[in-house]
Short mmCIF file of all heavy atoms in Angstrom, two decimals:
data_model
loop_
_atom_site.label_atom_id
_atom_site.label_comp_id
_atom_site.label_asym_id
_atom_site.label_seq_id
_atom_site.Cartn_x
_atom_site.Cartn_y
_atom_site.Cartn_z
N ASP A 1 106.55 120.44 82.35
CA ASP A 1 105.68 120.67 83.55
C ASP A 1 105.36 119.31 84.16
O ASP A 1 105.42 118.20 83.48
CB ASP A 1 104.47 121.39 83.21
CG ASP A 1 104.76 122.81 82.70
OD1 ASP A 1 105.84 123.35 83.09
OD2 ASP A 1 103.80 123.45 82.07
N SER A 2 105.00 119.33 85.41
CA SER A 2 104.60 118.07 86.12
C SER A 2 103.34 117.47 85.42
O SER A 2 102.41 118.12 85.08
CB SER A 2 104.24 118.33 87.57
OG SER A 2 105.44 118.98 88.19
N ILE A 3 103.41 116.16 85.27
CA ILE A 3 102.32 115.40 84.71
C ILE A 3 101.44 114.87 85.73
O ILE A 3 100.22 114.78 85.72
CB ILE A 3 102.84 114.27 83.74
CG1 ILE A 3 103.87 114.83 82.68
CG2 ILE A 3 101.68 113.56 82.97
CD1 ILE A 3 104.57 113.80 81.95
N TYR A 4 102.11 114.34 86.80
CA TYR A 4 101.34 113.80 87.95
C TYR A 4 102.33 113.81 89.12
O TYR A 4 103.50 114.21 89.00
CB TYR A 4 100.76 112.41 87.68
CG TYR A 4 101.84 111.38 87.35
CD1 TYR A 4 102.46 110.58 88.28
CD2 TYR A 4 102.18 111.10 86.03
CE1 TYR A 4 103.39 109.61 88.02
CE2 TYR A 4 103.11 110.12 85.71
CZ TYR A 4 103.71 109.40 86.62
OH TYR A 4 104.66 108.41 86.35
N TRP A 5 101.87 113.42 90.26
CA TRP A 5 102.78 113.41 91.45
C TRP A 5 102.66 112.02 92.18
O TRP A 5 101.65 111.30 92.02
CB TRP A 5 102.38 114.57 92.47
CG TRP A 5 101.02 114.47 93.08
CD1 TRP A 5 99.89 114.95 92.51
CD2 TRP A 5 100.67 113.85 94.30
NE1 TRP A 5 98.79 114.70 93.30
CE2 TRP A 5 99.23 114.04 94.50
CE3 TRP A 5 101.38 113.21 95.30
CZ2 TRP A 5 98.53 113.58 95.60
CZ3 TRP A 5 100.71 112.73 96.43
CH2 TRP A 5 99.34 112.88 96.55
N GLN A 6 103.66 111.77 93.00
CA GLN A 6 103.70 110.47 93.73
C GLN A 6 104.56 110.60 94.94
O GLN A 6 105.48 111.39 94.98
CB GLN A 6 104.16 109.31 92.78
CG GLN A 6 105.58 109.44 92.43
CD GLN A 6 106.09 108.32 91.56
OE1 GLN A 6 105.31 107.68 90.82
NE2 GLN A 6 107.37 107.98 91.60
N GLY A 7 104.39 109.66 95.90
CA GLY A 7 105.21 109.62 97.07
C GLY A 7 106.03 108.31 97.03
O GLY A 7 106.10 107.63 96.00
N GLY A 8 106.60 108.01 98.16
CA GLY A 8 107.46 106.77 98.20
C GLY A 8 106.60 105.61 98.88
O GLY A 8 105.58 105.84 99.48
N ALA A 9 107.20 104.43 98.86
CA ALA A 9 106.65 103.31 99.53
C ALA A 9 107.81 102.36 100.04
O ALA A 9 108.70 102.20 99.29
CB ALA A 9 105.75 102.49 98.61
N LEU A 10 107.64 101.93 101.25
CA LEU A 10 108.66 101.05 101.87
C LEU A 10 108.07 99.61 101.88
O LEU A 10 107.13 99.33 102.52
CB LEU A 10 109.00 101.53 103.27
CG LEU A 10 110.09 100.69 104.02
CD1 LEU A 10 111.37 100.80 103.32
CD2 LEU A 10 110.18 101.22 105.45
N LEU A 11 108.76 98.78 101.14
CA LEU A 11 108.32 97.41 101.08
C LEU A 11 109.18 96.48 102.03
O LEU A 11 110.43 96.72 102.08
CB LEU A 11 108.59 96.93 99.58
CG LEU A 11 107.78 95.65 99.08
CD1 LEU A 11 106.32 95.97 99.14
CD2 LEU A 11 108.23 95.30 97.67
N VAL A 12 108.42 95.62 102.76
CA VAL A 12 109.11 94.77 103.67
C VAL A 12 108.56 93.34 103.51
O VAL A 12 107.53 93.21 102.84
CB VAL A 12 108.98 95.28 105.15
CG1 VAL A 12 109.66 96.58 105.36
CG2 VAL A 12 107.51 95.30 105.52
N GLN A 13 109.11 92.38 104.13
CA GLN A 13 108.59 90.97 104.14
C GLN A 13 107.36 90.96 105.00
O GLN A 13 107.20 91.57 106.06
CB GLN A 13 109.59 89.97 104.69
CG GLN A 13 110.72 89.82 103.78
CD GLN A 13 111.67 88.71 104.21
OE1 GLN A 13 111.69 88.31 105.37
NE2 GLN A 13 112.60 88.13 103.33
N GLU A 14 106.39 90.12 104.55
CA GLU A 14 105.10 89.98 105.31
C GLU A 14 105.35 89.55 106.75
O GLU A 14 104.64 90.02 107.71
CB GLU A 14 104.20 88.94 104.60
CG GLU A 14 103.44 89.48 103.40
CD GLU A 14 102.48 88.43 102.84
OE1 GLU A 14 102.58 87.22 103.23
OE2 GLU A 14 101.66 88.80 101.98
N SER A 15 106.31 88.78 106.98
CA SER A 15 106.58 88.13 108.34
C SER A 15 107.37 89.06 109.26
O SER A 15 107.59 88.77 110.45
CB SER A 15 107.30 86.80 108.16
OG SER A 15 108.45 86.96 107.42
N SER A 16 107.86 90.21 108.69
CA SER A 16 108.72 91.10 109.42
C SER A 16 107.86 91.92 110.33
O SER A 16 106.66 92.13 110.15
CB SER A 16 109.49 91.97 108.52
OG SER A 16 108.71 93.08 108.04
N PRO A 17 108.48 92.44 111.55
CA PRO A 17 107.82 93.30 112.45
C PRO A 17 107.82 94.76 112.07
O PRO A 17 107.33 95.61 112.83
CB PRO A 17 108.65 93.05 113.74
CG PRO A 17 110.00 92.81 113.26
CD PRO A 17 109.87 92.08 111.98
N TYR A 18 108.57 95.15 110.95
CA TYR A 18 108.74 96.52 110.60
C TYR A 18 107.55 97.21 110.00
O TYR A 18 106.92 96.70 109.08
CB TYR A 18 109.90 96.58 109.58
CG TYR A 18 111.12 95.70 109.96
CD1 TYR A 18 111.65 94.75 109.02
CD2 TYR A 18 111.76 95.89 111.17
CE1 TYR A 18 112.71 94.02 109.33
CE2 TYR A 18 112.83 95.09 111.54
CZ TYR A 18 113.32 94.15 110.57
OH TYR A 18 114.35 93.36 110.87
N GLU A 19 107.24 98.35 110.60
CA GLU A 19 106.18 99.13 110.08
C GLU A 19 106.56 100.49 109.53
O GLU A 19 105.72 101.19 108.92
CB GLU A 19 105.06 99.36 111.23
CG GLU A 19 104.37 98.08 111.65
CD GLU A 19 103.58 97.40 110.52
OE1 GLU A 19 103.26 98.09 109.48
OE2 GLU A 19 103.30 96.20 110.61
N SER A 20 107.73 100.98 109.78
CA SER A 20 108.27 102.17 109.25
C SER A 20 109.73 102.14 109.17
O SER A 20 110.37 101.16 109.65
CB SER A 20 107.85 103.40 110.05
OG SER A 20 108.61 103.43 111.20
N GLN A 21 110.35 103.17 108.50
CA GLN A 21 111.79 103.24 108.47
C GLN A 21 112.44 103.27 109.88
O GLN A 21 113.61 102.83 110.06
CB GLN A 21 112.26 104.38 107.59
CG GLN A 21 111.85 105.79 108.10
CD GLN A 21 110.60 106.23 107.44
OE1 GLN A 21 109.60 105.53 107.33
NE2 GLN A 21 110.54 107.52 107.00
N TYR A 22 111.65 103.76 110.82
CA TYR A 22 112.18 103.91 112.17
C TYR A 22 112.26 102.58 112.93
O TYR A 22 112.82 102.57 114.06
CB TYR A 22 111.37 104.93 112.99
CG TYR A 22 111.50 106.31 112.27
CD1 TYR A 22 110.41 106.79 111.57
CD2 TYR A 22 112.58 107.07 112.28
CE1 TYR A 22 110.42 108.03 110.90
CE2 TYR A 22 112.71 108.29 111.63
CZ TYR A 22 111.61 108.76 110.90
OH TYR A 22 111.63 109.92 110.27
N ASP A 23 111.73 101.52 112.35
CA ASP A 23 111.85 100.20 112.96
C ASP A 23 112.97 99.39 112.38
O ASP A 23 113.26 98.28 112.76
CB ASP A 23 110.51 99.40 112.63
CG ASP A 23 109.34 100.04 113.31
OD1 ASP A 23 109.52 100.63 114.40
OD2 ASP A 23 108.23 99.90 112.74
N LEU A 24 113.74 100.01 111.45
CA LEU A 24 114.81 99.29 110.70
C LEU A 24 116.23 99.67 111.23
O LEU A 24 117.18 99.45 110.42
CB LEU A 24 114.66 99.58 109.21
CG LEU A 24 113.43 98.95 108.56
CD1 LEU A 24 113.13 99.62 107.24
CD2 LEU A 24 113.73 97.47 108.27
N LYS A 25 116.35 100.06 112.48
CA LYS A 25 117.66 100.35 113.00
C LYS A 25 118.59 99.06 112.83
O LYS A 25 118.21 98.05 113.36
CB LYS A 25 117.57 100.82 114.42
CG LYS A 25 118.87 101.33 115.01
CD LYS A 25 118.62 101.93 116.34
CE LYS A 25 119.92 102.50 116.97
NZ LYS A 25 120.43 103.68 116.20
N GLY A 26 119.69 99.31 112.30
CA GLY A 26 120.72 98.22 112.13
C GLY A 26 120.41 97.23 110.93
O GLY A 26 121.15 96.24 110.68
N CYS A 27 119.33 97.56 110.20
CA CYS A 27 118.96 96.75 109.07
C CYS A 27 119.49 97.29 107.74
O CYS A 27 119.81 98.49 107.60
CB CYS A 27 117.44 96.62 109.03
SG CYS A 27 116.71 95.81 110.44
N LYS A 28 119.36 96.47 106.71
CA LYS A 28 119.73 96.86 105.33
C LYS A 28 118.51 97.27 104.56
O LYS A 28 117.55 96.50 104.49
CB LYS A 28 120.44 95.68 104.61
CG LYS A 28 121.78 95.27 105.25
CD LYS A 28 122.38 94.07 104.51
CE LYS A 28 123.70 93.69 105.14
NZ LYS A 28 124.28 92.56 104.39
N VAL A 29 118.61 98.44 103.91
CA VAL A 29 117.54 98.87 103.08
C VAL A 29 118.01 99.16 101.68
O VAL A 29 119.02 99.84 101.51
CB VAL A 29 116.83 100.12 103.68
CG1 VAL A 29 115.76 100.67 102.76
CG2 VAL A 29 116.30 99.87 105.06
N GLY A 30 117.33 98.63 100.71
CA GLY A 30 117.74 98.72 99.32
C GLY A 30 117.20 99.94 98.59
O GLY A 30 116.12 100.40 99.00
N TYR A 31 117.85 100.29 97.47
CA TYR A 31 117.38 101.37 96.60
C TYR A 31 117.84 101.06 95.21
O TYR A 31 118.75 100.34 95.00
CB TYR A 31 117.87 102.80 97.07
CG TYR A 31 119.30 102.90 97.05
CD1 TYR A 31 120.03 103.21 95.85
CD2 TYR A 31 120.11 102.67 98.21
CE1 TYR A 31 121.39 103.30 95.80
CE2 TYR A 31 121.44 102.79 98.18
CZ TYR A 31 122.13 103.12 97.04
OH TYR A 31 123.48 103.24 96.98
N THR A 32 117.13 101.69 94.27
CA THR A 32 117.59 101.59 92.88
C THR A 32 118.52 102.71 92.56
O THR A 32 118.15 103.89 92.75
CB THR A 32 116.35 101.67 91.87
OG1 THR A 32 115.47 100.52 92.11
CG2 THR A 32 116.83 101.59 90.43
N PRO A 33 119.75 102.44 92.09
CA PRO A 33 120.74 103.48 91.84
C PRO A 33 120.22 104.55 90.88
O PRO A 33 119.65 104.22 89.91
CB PRO A 33 121.96 102.71 91.29
CG PRO A 33 121.80 101.35 91.82
CD PRO A 33 120.33 101.06 91.93
N GLY A 34 120.53 105.80 91.24
CA GLY A 34 120.15 106.86 90.36
C GLY A 34 118.79 107.43 90.56
O GLY A 34 118.47 108.51 90.00
N THR A 35 117.95 106.78 91.39
CA THR A 35 116.61 107.29 91.67
C THR A 35 116.70 108.27 92.88
O THR A 35 117.72 108.32 93.61
CB THR A 35 115.69 106.17 92.00
OG1 THR A 35 116.09 105.59 93.26
CG2 THR A 35 115.61 105.11 90.91
#
């Protein structure tokens, strides 16, 4: 059974202008394989 719940988080550089995934058009976004 579920022990707890969680959502996602998008990490960016402090100096970047990005505030959401919709600001990253044309950009590279990483992920951990298998997640």
Side-chain angles (χ1 to χ4, degrees):
D1 290 342
S2 301
I3 307 171
Y4 59 90
W5 63 274
Q6 67 179 29
L10 180 62
L11 201 61
V12 296
Q13 290 187 341
E14 278 183 351
S15 58
S16 78
Y18 313 126
E19 291 300 340
S20 79
Q21 60 266 47
Y22 300 104
D23 297 328
L24 288 161
K25 189 174 180 65
C27 298
K28 296 179 179 180
V29 177
Y31 61 83
T32 300
T35 65

